[in-house]
mmCIF file of all heavy atoms in Angstrom:
data_model
loop_
_atom_site.group_PDB
_atom_site.id
_atom_site.type_symbol
_atom_site.label_atom_id
_atom_site.label_comp_id
_atom_site.label_asym_id
_atom_site.label_seq_id
_atom_site.Cartn_x
_atom_site.Cartn_y
_atom_site.Cartn_z
ATOM 1 N N VAL A 207 0.064 -10.535 21.196
ATOM 2 C CA VAL A 207 1.443 -10.053 21.197
ATOM 3 C C VAL A 207 2.405 -11.187 21.520
ATOM 4 O O VAL A 207 3.481 -11.301 20.938
ATOM 5 C CB VAL A 207 1.616 -8.905 22.209
ATOM 6 C CG1 VAL A 207 3.073 -8.464 22.301
ATOM 7 C CG2 VAL A 207 0.729 -7.733 21.833
ATOM 8 N N ARG A 208 1.999 -12.037 22.444
ATOM 9 C CA ARG A 208 2.841 -13.169 22.842
ATOM 10 C C ARG A 208 1.965 -14.306 23.329
ATOM 11 O O ARG A 208 0.898 -14.090 23.909
ATOM 12 C CB ARG A 208 3.821 -12.760 23.949
ATOM 13 C CG ARG A 208 4.647 -13.913 24.527
ATOM 14 C CD ARG A 208 5.652 -13.415 25.549
ATOM 15 N NE ARG A 208 6.640 -12.529 24.923
ATOM 16 C CZ ARG A 208 7.457 -11.732 25.614
ATOM 17 N NH1 ARG A 208 7.390 -11.699 26.942
ATOM 18 N NH2 ARG A 208 8.318 -10.969 24.970
ATOM 19 N N LEU A 209 2.419 -15.533 23.081
ATOM 20 C CA LEU A 209 1.820 -16.705 23.674
ATOM 21 C C LEU A 209 2.921 -17.504 24.347
ATOM 22 O O LEU A 209 4.031 -17.616 23.811
ATOM 23 C CB LEU A 209 1.130 -17.580 22.630
ATOM 24 C CG LEU A 209 -0.041 -16.934 21.907
ATOM 25 C CD1 LEU A 209 0.294 -16.693 20.451
ATOM 26 C CD2 LEU A 209 -1.278 -17.811 22.018
ATOM 27 N N THR A 210 2.637 -18.039 25.519
ATOM 28 C CA THR A 210 3.579 -18.920 26.185
ATOM 29 C C THR A 210 2.930 -20.282 26.376
ATOM 30 O O THR A 210 1.722 -20.381 26.619
ATOM 31 C CB THR A 210 4.024 -18.362 27.544
ATOM 32 O OG1 THR A 210 2.871 -18.166 28.393
ATOM 33 C CG2 THR A 210 4.746 -17.032 27.382
ATOM 34 N N VAL A 211 3.738 -21.325 26.252
ATOM 35 C CA VAL A 211 3.268 -22.698 26.389
ATOM 36 C C VAL A 211 4.098 -23.374 27.468
ATOM 37 O O VAL A 211 5.326 -23.428 27.372
ATOM 38 C CB VAL A 211 3.416 -23.481 25.068
ATOM 39 C CG1 VAL A 211 2.698 -24.814 25.156
ATOM 40 C CG2 VAL A 211 2.918 -22.666 23.891
ATOM 41 N N ARG A 212 3.452 -23.887 28.484
ATOM 42 C CA ARG A 212 4.133 -24.552 29.587
ATOM 43 C C ARG A 212 3.444 -25.882 29.879
ATOM 44 O O ARG A 212 2.225 -25.975 29.867
ATOM 45 C CB ARG A 212 4.103 -23.698 30.855
ATOM 46 C CG ARG A 212 4.668 -22.286 30.703
ATOM 47 C CD ARG A 212 6.178 -22.283 30.582
ATOM 48 N NE ARG A 212 6.724 -20.924 30.544
ATOM 49 C CZ ARG A 212 7.015 -20.270 29.427
ATOM 50 N NH1 ARG A 212 6.815 -20.856 28.258
ATOM 51 N NH2 ARG A 212 7.494 -19.046 29.464
ATOM 52 N N GLY A 213 4.243 -26.908 30.142
ATOM 53 C CA GLY A 213 3.695 -28.204 30.490
ATOM 54 C C GLY A 213 3.560 -29.115 29.292
ATOM 55 O O GLY A 213 3.689 -28.700 28.138
ATOM 56 N N GLY A 214 3.337 -30.396 29.563
ATOM 57 C CA GLY A 214 3.227 -31.366 28.488
ATOM 58 C C GLY A 214 4.520 -31.539 27.714
ATOM 59 O O GLY A 214 4.498 -31.875 26.530
ATOM 60 N N GLY A 215 5.645 -31.272 28.369
ATOM 61 C CA GLY A 215 6.940 -31.373 27.702
ATOM 62 C C GLY A 215 7.356 -30.119 26.966
ATOM 63 O O GLY A 215 8.458 -30.052 26.419
ATOM 64 N N ALA A 216 6.491 -29.103 26.948
ATOM 65 C CA ALA A 216 6.795 -27.875 26.209
ATOM 66 C C ALA A 216 7.134 -26.730 27.160
ATOM 67 O O ALA A 216 6.610 -26.644 28.266
ATOM 68 C CB ALA A 216 5.611 -27.477 25.335
ATOM 69 N N ASP A 217 8.012 -25.864 26.722
ATOM 70 C CA ASP A 217 8.352 -24.636 27.439
ATOM 71 C C ASP A 217 8.806 -23.641 26.373
ATOM 72 O O ASP A 217 9.979 -23.546 26.046
ATOM 73 C CB ASP A 217 9.460 -24.896 28.460
ATOM 74 C CG ASP A 217 9.769 -23.668 29.303
ATOM 75 O OD1 ASP A 217 9.071 -22.648 29.142
ATOM 76 O OD2 ASP A 217 10.710 -23.729 30.116
ATOM 77 N N ALA A 218 7.849 -22.926 25.799
ATOM 78 C CA ALA A 218 8.148 -22.106 24.629
ATOM 79 C C ALA A 218 7.347 -20.818 24.641
ATOM 80 O O ALA A 218 6.363 -20.680 25.375
ATOM 81 C CB ALA A 218 7.839 -22.898 23.349
ATOM 82 N N ALA A 219 7.792 -19.883 23.816
ATOM 83 C CA ALA A 219 7.089 -18.615 23.639
ATOM 84 C C ALA A 219 6.936 -18.339 22.150
ATOM 85 O O ALA A 219 7.813 -18.659 21.346
ATOM 86 C CB ALA A 219 7.855 -17.472 24.302
ATOM 87 N N VAL A 220 5.801 -17.753 21.787
ATOM 88 C CA VAL A 220 5.529 -17.350 20.413
ATOM 89 C C VAL A 220 5.229 -15.855 20.441
ATOM 90 O O VAL A 220 4.270 -15.430 21.080
ATOM 91 C CB VAL A 220 4.323 -18.113 19.818
ATOM 92 C CG1 VAL A 220 4.117 -17.718 18.357
ATOM 93 C CG2 VAL A 220 4.518 -19.618 19.954
ATOM 94 N N ASP A 221 6.068 -15.057 19.788
ATOM 95 C CA ASP A 221 5.887 -13.611 19.753
ATOM 96 C C ASP A 221 5.387 -13.175 18.383
ATOM 97 O O ASP A 221 5.896 -13.630 17.350
ATOM 98 C CB ASP A 221 7.201 -12.897 20.060
ATOM 99 C CG ASP A 221 7.604 -13.026 21.517
ATOM 100 O OD1 ASP A 221 6.740 -12.844 22.386
ATOM 101 O OD2 ASP A 221 8.790 -13.327 21.783
ATOM 102 N N PHE A 222 4.393 -12.278 18.381
ATOM 103 C CA PHE A 222 3.832 -11.720 17.152
ATOM 104 C C PHE A 222 4.104 -10.219 17.119
ATOM 105 O O PHE A 222 3.926 -9.535 18.130
ATOM 106 C CB PHE A 222 2.321 -11.940 17.093
ATOM 107 C CG PHE A 222 1.901 -13.384 17.078
ATOM 108 C CD1 PHE A 222 1.577 -14.034 18.254
ATOM 109 C CD2 PHE A 222 1.823 -14.087 15.890
ATOM 110 C CE1 PHE A 222 1.174 -15.361 18.250
ATOM 111 C CE2 PHE A 222 1.429 -15.415 15.865
ATOM 112 C CZ PHE A 222 1.097 -16.056 17.055
ATOM 113 N N SER A 223 4.503 -9.707 15.971
ATOM 114 C CA SER A 223 4.754 -8.271 15.841
ATOM 115 C C SER A 223 4.650 -7.875 14.371
ATOM 116 O O SER A 223 4.381 -8.711 13.500
ATOM 117 C CB SER A 223 6.149 -7.923 16.384
ATOM 118 O OG SER A 223 7.163 -8.591 15.654
ATOM 119 N N ARG A 224 4.861 -6.576 14.098
ATOM 120 C CA ARG A 224 4.897 -6.028 12.737
ATOM 121 C C ARG A 224 3.653 -6.412 11.924
ATOM 122 O O ARG A 224 3.744 -6.733 10.733
ATOM 123 C CB ARG A 224 6.162 -6.466 11.998
ATOM 124 C CG ARG A 224 7.453 -6.147 12.729
ATOM 125 C CD ARG A 224 8.658 -6.637 11.966
ATOM 126 N NE ARG A 224 9.814 -6.808 12.827
ATOM 127 C CZ ARG A 224 10.939 -7.426 12.467
ATOM 128 N NH1 ARG A 224 11.057 -7.907 11.237
ATOM 129 N NH2 ARG A 224 11.935 -7.561 13.314
ATOM 130 N N TYR A 225 2.513 -6.364 12.572
ATOM 131 C CA TYR A 225 1.271 -6.649 11.855
ATOM 132 C C TYR A 225 1.085 -5.669 10.696
ATOM 133 O O TYR A 225 1.273 -4.462 10.843
ATOM 134 C CB TYR A 225 0.082 -6.544 12.799
ATOM 135 C CG TYR A 225 -0.056 -7.720 13.747
ATOM 136 C CD1 TYR A 225 0.426 -7.644 15.052
ATOM 137 C CD2 TYR A 225 -0.673 -8.902 13.346
ATOM 138 C CE1 TYR A 225 0.282 -8.714 15.929
ATOM 139 C CE2 TYR A 225 -0.819 -9.975 14.216
ATOM 140 C CZ TYR A 225 -0.338 -9.875 15.508
ATOM 141 O OH TYR A 225 -0.470 -10.940 16.375
ATOM 142 N N ASP A 226 0.712 -6.208 9.539
ATOM 143 C CA ASP A 226 0.373 -5.437 8.337
ATOM 144 C C ASP A 226 1.534 -4.602 7.809
ATOM 145 O O ASP A 226 1.323 -3.652 7.054
ATOM 146 C CB ASP A 226 -0.850 -4.555 8.596
ATOM 147 C CG ASP A 226 -2.091 -5.385 8.949
ATOM 148 O OD1 ASP A 226 -2.268 -6.458 8.329
ATOM 149 O OD2 ASP A 226 -2.845 -4.973 9.840
ATOM 150 N N GLN A 227 2.765 -4.953 8.177
ATOM 151 C CA GLN A 227 3.939 -4.292 7.621
ATOM 152 C C GLN A 227 4.533 -5.150 6.507
ATOM 153 O O GLN A 227 4.458 -6.384 6.553
ATOM 154 C CB GLN A 227 4.982 -4.043 8.714
ATOM 155 C CG GLN A 227 4.529 -3.075 9.785
ATOM 156 C CD GLN A 227 5.628 -2.765 10.786
ATOM 157 O OE1 GLN A 227 6.816 -2.902 10.496
ATOM 158 N NE2 GLN A 227 5.240 -2.341 11.979
ATOM 159 N N PRO A 228 5.131 -4.534 5.477
ATOM 160 C CA PRO A 228 5.655 -5.315 4.339
ATOM 161 C C PRO A 228 6.751 -6.290 4.768
ATOM 162 O O PRO A 228 7.577 -5.990 5.631
ATOM 163 C CB PRO A 228 6.222 -4.232 3.411
ATOM 164 C CG PRO A 228 5.544 -2.968 3.818
ATOM 165 C CD PRO A 228 5.305 -3.080 5.292
ATOM 166 N N VAL A 229 6.754 -7.447 4.134
ATOM 167 C CA VAL A 229 7.837 -8.411 4.311
ATOM 168 C C VAL A 229 9.064 -7.873 3.574
ATOM 169 O O VAL A 229 8.940 -7.353 2.453
ATOM 170 C CB VAL A 229 7.428 -9.786 3.733
ATOM 171 C CG1 VAL A 229 8.615 -10.748 3.716
ATOM 172 C CG2 VAL A 229 6.266 -10.363 4.532
ATOM 173 N N PRO A 230 10.270 -7.945 4.154
ATOM 174 C CA PRO A 230 11.471 -7.479 3.445
ATOM 175 C C PRO A 230 11.546 -8.072 2.051
ATOM 176 O O PRO A 230 11.358 -9.281 1.849
ATOM 177 C CB PRO A 230 12.611 -7.976 4.340
ATOM 178 C CG PRO A 230 12.005 -8.005 5.714
ATOM 179 C CD PRO A 230 10.583 -8.439 5.513
ATOM 180 N N ALA A 231 11.832 -7.217 1.058
ATOM 181 C CA ALA A 231 11.754 -7.633 -0.342
ATOM 182 C C ALA A 231 13.097 -8.010 -0.952
ATOM 183 O O ALA A 231 13.161 -8.445 -2.105
ATOM 184 C CB ALA A 231 11.115 -6.515 -1.178
ATOM 185 N N THR A 232 14.194 -7.883 -0.204
ATOM 186 C CA THR A 232 15.513 -8.184 -0.752
ATOM 187 C C THR A 232 15.656 -9.681 -1.028
ATOM 188 O O THR A 232 15.313 -10.510 -0.174
ATOM 189 C CB THR A 232 16.620 -7.744 0.212
ATOM 190 O OG1 THR A 232 16.502 -6.340 0.456
ATOM 191 C CG2 THR A 232 17.996 -8.027 -0.366
ATOM 192 N N THR A 233 16.155 -10.036 -2.214
ATOM 193 C CA THR A 233 16.384 -11.435 -2.566
ATOM 194 C C THR A 233 17.872 -11.652 -2.869
ATOM 195 O O THR A 233 18.582 -10.707 -3.234
ATOM 196 C CB THR A 233 15.552 -11.845 -3.788
ATOM 197 O OG1 THR A 233 15.898 -11.011 -4.893
ATOM 198 C CG2 THR A 233 14.056 -11.709 -3.489
ATOM 199 N N PRO A 234 18.374 -12.880 -2.720
ATOM 200 C CA PRO A 234 19.784 -13.151 -2.998
ATOM 201 C C PRO A 234 20.147 -12.854 -4.441
ATOM 202 O O PRO A 234 19.345 -13.094 -5.369
ATOM 203 C CB PRO A 234 19.917 -14.646 -2.693
ATOM 204 C CG PRO A 234 18.800 -14.945 -1.734
ATOM 205 C CD PRO A 234 17.673 -14.066 -2.175
ATOM 206 N N ALA A 235 21.345 -12.343 -4.661
ATOM 207 C CA ALA A 235 21.838 -12.065 -6.014
ATOM 208 C C ALA A 235 22.071 -13.372 -6.762
ATOM 209 O O ALA A 235 22.302 -14.424 -6.158
ATOM 210 C CB ALA A 235 23.140 -11.274 -5.940
ATOM 211 N N ALA A 236 22.006 -13.296 -8.078
ATOM 212 C CA ALA A 236 22.153 -14.493 -8.913
ATOM 213 C C ALA A 236 23.451 -15.240 -8.621
ATOM 214 O O ALA A 236 23.489 -16.478 -8.601
ATOM 215 C CB ALA A 236 22.077 -14.103 -10.388
ATOM 216 N N GLU A 237 24.544 -14.486 -8.414
ATOM 217 C CA GLU A 237 25.836 -15.129 -8.166
ATOM 218 C C GLU A 237 25.901 -15.819 -6.800
ATOM 219 O O GLU A 237 26.837 -16.577 -6.513
ATOM 220 C CB GLU A 237 26.979 -14.126 -8.293
ATOM 221 C CG GLU A 237 26.919 -12.958 -7.326
ATOM 222 C CD GLU A 237 26.177 -11.752 -7.881
ATOM 223 O OE1 GLU A 237 25.340 -11.932 -8.789
ATOM 224 O OE2 GLU A 237 26.446 -10.638 -7.400
ATOM 225 N N ASP A 238 24.901 -15.550 -5.958
ATOM 226 C CA ASP A 238 24.879 -16.160 -4.629
ATOM 227 C C ASP A 238 23.884 -17.304 -4.528
ATOM 228 O O ASP A 238 23.504 -17.724 -3.436
ATOM 229 C CB ASP A 238 24.511 -15.099 -3.578
ATOM 230 C CG ASP A 238 25.571 -14.029 -3.447
ATOM 231 O OD1 ASP A 238 26.765 -14.351 -3.643
ATOM 232 O OD2 ASP A 238 25.219 -12.863 -3.168
ATOM 233 N N THR A 239 23.456 -17.838 -5.678
ATOM 234 C CA THR A 239 22.457 -18.903 -5.664
ATOM 235 C C THR A 239 22.888 -20.079 -6.544
ATOM 236 O O THR A 239 23.685 -19.925 -7.479
ATOM 237 C CB THR A 239 21.089 -18.408 -6.159
ATOM 238 O OG1 THR A 239 21.169 -18.081 -7.553
ATOM 239 C CG2 THR A 239 20.641 -17.176 -5.391
ATOM 240 N N VAL A 240 22.335 -21.245 -6.220
ATOM 241 C CA VAL A 240 22.500 -22.454 -7.031
ATOM 242 C C VAL A 240 21.113 -23.058 -7.207
ATOM 243 O O VAL A 240 20.378 -23.239 -6.234
ATOM 244 C CB VAL A 240 23.435 -23.481 -6.353
ATOM 245 C CG1 VAL A 240 23.474 -24.778 -7.164
ATOM 246 C CG2 VAL A 240 24.828 -22.913 -6.182
ATOM 247 N N ASP A 241 20.745 -23.370 -8.439
ATOM 248 C CA ASP A 241 19.425 -23.949 -8.704
ATOM 249 C C ASP A 241 19.315 -25.337 -8.077
ATOM 250 O O ASP A 241 20.259 -26.135 -8.144
ATOM 251 C CB ASP A 241 19.200 -24.042 -10.199
ATOM 252 C CG ASP A 241 17.799 -24.507 -10.536
ATOM 253 O OD1 ASP A 241 16.891 -23.661 -10.570
ATOM 254 O OD2 ASP A 241 17.613 -25.724 -10.734
ATOM 255 N N VAL A 242 18.169 -25.623 -7.481
ATOM 256 C CA VAL A 242 17.995 -26.896 -6.781
ATOM 257 C C VAL A 242 18.182 -28.076 -7.716
ATOM 258 O O VAL A 242 18.783 -29.098 -7.344
ATOM 259 C CB VAL A 242 16.618 -26.949 -6.074
ATOM 260 C CG1 VAL A 242 15.475 -26.845 -7.079
ATOM 261 C CG2 VAL A 242 16.478 -28.219 -5.243
ATOM 262 N N SER A 243 17.702 -27.978 -8.950
ATOM 263 C CA SER A 243 17.856 -29.084 -9.892
ATOM 264 C C SER A 243 19.305 -29.276 -10.279
ATOM 265 O O SER A 243 19.778 -30.411 -10.432
ATOM 266 C CB SER A 243 16.998 -28.828 -11.139
ATOM 267 O OG SER A 243 15.619 -28.814 -10.800
ATOM 268 N N ALA A 244 20.035 -28.167 -10.431
ATOM 269 C CA ALA A 244 21.457 -28.264 -10.761
ATOM 270 C C ALA A 244 22.218 -28.913 -9.606
ATOM 271 O O ALA A 244 23.121 -29.728 -9.833
ATOM 272 C CB ALA A 244 22.018 -26.892 -11.066
ATOM 273 N N LEU A 245 21.856 -28.568 -8.385
ATOM 274 C CA LEU A 245 22.535 -29.148 -7.223
ATOM 275 C C LEU A 245 22.305 -30.636 -7.165
ATOM 276 O O LEU A 245 23.246 -31.421 -7.001
ATOM 277 C CB LEU A 245 22.023 -28.491 -5.935
ATOM 278 C CG LEU A 245 22.584 -29.091 -4.642
ATOM 279 C CD1 LEU A 245 24.066 -28.791 -4.510
ATOM 280 C CD2 LEU A 245 21.836 -28.560 -3.429
ATOM 281 N N LEU A 246 21.086 -31.091 -7.310
ATOM 282 C CA LEU A 246 20.777 -32.512 -7.214
ATOM 283 C C LEU A 246 21.390 -33.282 -8.375
ATOM 284 O O LEU A 246 21.699 -34.467 -8.246
ATOM 285 C CB LEU A 246 19.277 -32.726 -7.171
ATOM 286 C CG LEU A 246 18.572 -32.152 -5.924
ATOM 287 C CD1 LEU A 246 17.075 -32.417 -5.981
ATOM 288 C CD2 LEU A 246 19.169 -32.757 -4.659
ATOM 289 N N GLY A 247 21.608 -32.596 -9.497
ATOM 290 C CA GLY A 247 22.223 -33.267 -10.639
ATOM 291 C C GLY A 247 23.728 -33.382 -10.535
ATOM 292 O O GLY A 247 24.349 -34.199 -11.204
ATOM 293 N N ARG A 248 24.336 -32.559 -9.636
ATOM 294 C CA ARG A 248 25.799 -32.528 -9.524
ATOM 295 C C ARG A 248 26.311 -33.255 -8.299
ATOM 296 O O ARG A 248 27.515 -33.402 -8.113
ATOM 297 C CB ARG A 248 26.283 -31.081 -9.470
ATOM 298 C CG ARG A 248 26.051 -30.310 -10.772
ATOM 299 C CD ARG A 248 26.190 -28.818 -10.578
ATOM 300 N NE ARG A 248 27.527 -28.444 -10.080
ATOM 301 C CZ ARG A 248 27.854 -27.189 -9.735
ATOM 302 N NH1 ARG A 248 26.955 -26.217 -9.836
ATOM 303 N NH2 ARG A 248 29.065 -26.929 -9.317
ATOM 304 N N THR A 249 25.410 -33.708 -7.422
ATOM 305 C CA THR A 249 25.846 -34.379 -6.205
ATOM 306 C C THR A 249 25.362 -35.816 -6.208
ATOM 307 O O THR A 249 24.303 -36.142 -6.746
ATOM 308 C CB THR A 249 25.287 -33.680 -4.963
ATOM 309 O OG1 THR A 249 23.865 -33.569 -5.091
ATOM 310 C CG2 THR A 249 25.884 -32.298 -4.796
ATOM 311 N N PRO A 250 26.114 -36.720 -5.606
ATOM 312 C CA PRO A 250 25.703 -38.124 -5.574
ATOM 313 C C PRO A 250 24.489 -38.324 -4.695
ATOM 314 O O PRO A 250 24.320 -37.641 -3.697
ATOM 315 C CB PRO A 250 26.934 -38.835 -4.987
ATOM 316 C CG PRO A 250 27.624 -37.778 -4.166
ATOM 317 C CD PRO A 250 27.397 -36.499 -4.925
ATOM 318 N N ALA A 251 23.629 -39.211 -5.089
ATOM 319 C CA ALA A 251 22.446 -39.530 -4.279
ATOM 320 C C ALA A 251 22.876 -40.218 -3.007
ATOM 321 O O ALA A 251 23.747 -41.107 -3.033
ATOM 322 C CB ALA A 251 21.493 -40.416 -5.076
#
Side-chain angles (χ1 to χ4, degrees):
V207 176
R208 174 176 296 165
L209 297 112
T210 58
V211 190
R212 305 287 185 264
D217 184 4
V220 183
D221 288 315
F222 298 94
S223 61
R224 306 178 202 169
Y225 285 98
D226 299 321
Q227 295 185 23
V229 171
T232 301
T233 59
E237 61 269 24
D238 294 328
T239 67
V240 175
D241 186 84
V242 62
S243 296
L245 176 68
L246 295 180
R248 293 165 59 185
T249 54

